[in-house]
Amino acid sequence: MESATKRGRTPRRIDSALEVQAAPQELVPRRRPTQERSRRKFDALLAASRELLTEVGFESFTCEEVAARADVPIGTLYQFFANKYVIVCELNRQDLVGVQDELAKFDGVVPSVDWLRFLNSFVDHLAGLWMSDPSRREVWLAMQSTPSTRATGAIHEKEFAEQIARMLAPLMPDTPRERRTLMAEVLVHVVYSMLNFSVQDDQSHADAVVELKRLMGAYLMVAEKESRTSAKRRKRREEASRAEESRRADDPETRQAEEVRTSSA
């Protein structure tokens, strides 16, 4: 059988979003609108994308249908987005920016004796978003569909985790920065996995959210305790070191030996 090249046909090119890349790049729009008219079209395309994604799922999602629903020429859509993978990545970024803005309201609250209450309030807020807006789960699922979308999702989650790591610093100041960063990444991954679990069919959303709060609360309380223990150990070492320096300074033989070394130098 002749190959496609021998028959004069161009082999079908694999979409770059489906390829495993050595150095994955974030999928972003070709351009972001600066003028009001373009911004309205951009926003209309994203709104239509959410609606379509919720109705048909990512597999049946097409750019042509998005443009039709947004009443925008397909050429205009491609001015902003190279393909449907870029669209879903922009939706994911949009969702995370909203969550980050909400989380910023808690900045400065931690550490507080009521930090656990604030944590519960924030989880309730997230859970409410997932329950009231089905598109969030569809976007999250779509982000798992290709190597490039997964890589972009990891970039988005890392940015979110960096914000959380900064907020955790006052709660556990003696925890190494690298560990706080890892903890924040774990928390982000667990939260989104559990939120997806909470809205699955035949699942009790409220019960799943309660378990998520328990997981996060226990995880952070253990880390806080470890940080306090580390701080106490550090303080004892510092006190012991100061006591030793004071003892050496008061000891006549030590002072004489130090004077001899100084004069010899």
Side-chain angles (χ1 to χ4, degrees):
M1 182 181 292
E2 291 183 328
S3 67
T5 303
K6 288 183 178 180
R7 292 197 302 269
R9 298 177 185 174
T10 302
R12 185 178 179 182
R13 186 177 182 277
I14 299 176
D15 195 309
S16 59
L18 304 176
E19 297 177 336
V20 178
Q21 302 172 357
Q25 300 295 312
E26 181 180 2
L27 298 182
V28 296
R30 284 173 165 156
R31 69 181 181 89
R32 298 187 187 280
T34 55
Q35 297 182 345
E36 181 62 29
R37 184 179 178 184
S38 295
R39 191 155 41 245
R40 286 198 300 268
K41 292 178 180 179
F42 187 84
D43 292 343
L45 288 166
L46 290 178
S49 296
R50 283 192 183 279
E51 180 184 90
L52 181 62
L53 193 60
T54 303
E55 289 184 15
V56 304
F58 191 57
E59 190 171 337
S60 300
F61 181 99
T62 66
C63 291
E64 290 74 15
E65 181 61 21
V66 168
R69 292 192 178 208
D71 196 22
V72 170
I74 188 65
T76 300
L77 181 148
Y78 286 125
Q79 287 177 12
F80 295 120
F81 306 106
N83 49 46
K84 71 178 190 176
Y85 306 103
V86 178
I87 293 177
V88 78
C89 286
E90 180 63 13
L91 291 174
N92 188 64
R93 189 196 70 82
Q94 190 181 64
D95 287 346
L96 276 179
V97 166
V99 172
Q100 286 179 287
D101 289 344
E102 186 68 24
L103 184 63
K105 297 178 182 179
F106 293 84
D107 204 3
V109 169
V110 179
S112 161
V113 292
D114 289 331
W115 69 264
L116 190 57
R117 178 170 62 84
F118 289 106
L119 172 68
N120 289 341
S121 296
F122 182 66
V123 172
D124 283 337
H125 173 74
L126 278 182
L129 291 176
W130 274 61
M131 196 66 180
S132 61
D133 183 2
S135 74
R136 287 180 176 264
R137 178 176 186 244
E138 295 303 328
V139 169
W140 187 82
L141 290 173
M143 291 297 290
Q144 319 308 314
S145 62
T146 71
S148 290
T149 52
R150 287 194 295 273
T152 299
I155 292 171
H156 292 172
E157 288 190 3
K158 187 174 182 62
E159 293 172 355
F160 187 25
E162 288 171 356
Q163 180 184 8
I164 293 176
R166 289 193 297 271
M167 294 181 68
L168 290 177
L171 183 66
M172 46 193 76
D174 274 74
T175 299
R177 182 177 179 179
E178 294 76 13
R179 177 144 190 261
R180 285 200 306 268
T181 298
L182 176 60
M183 289 179 62
E185 291 173 352
V186 168
L187 285 169
V188 170
H189 186 75
V190 168
V191 165
Y192 279 95
S193 296
M194 282 294 292
L195 287 174
N196 175 57
F197 174 73
S198 76
V199 293
Q200 290 180 5
D201 294 340
D202 301 323
Q203 182 58 253
S204 169
H205 173 73
D207 289 346
V209 172
V210 168
E211 294 306 314
L212 172 58
K213 290 178 182 179
R214 287 175 176 168
L215 282 171
M216 295 179 68
Y219 186 55
L220 290 174
M221 282 191 287
V222 167
E224 183 188 23
K225 182 178 179 181
E226 288 177 347
S227 184
R228 287 200 306 268
T229 300
S230 178
K232 290 177 181 177
R233 288 173 179 166
R234 176 174 53 80
K235 185 177 180 179
R236 285 198 295 267
R237 287 196 300 269
E238 291 172 351
E239 290 175 346
S241 178
R242 286 195 297 268
E244 176 63 17
E245 290 176 1
S246 178
R247 185 191 66 77
R248 290 170 63 85
D250 292 338
D251 182 58
E253 292 184 1
T254 302
R255 283 203 309 272
Q256 185 177 6
E258 185 64 31
E259 290 172 358
V260 170
R261 282 197 298 271
T262 301
S263 61
S264 299

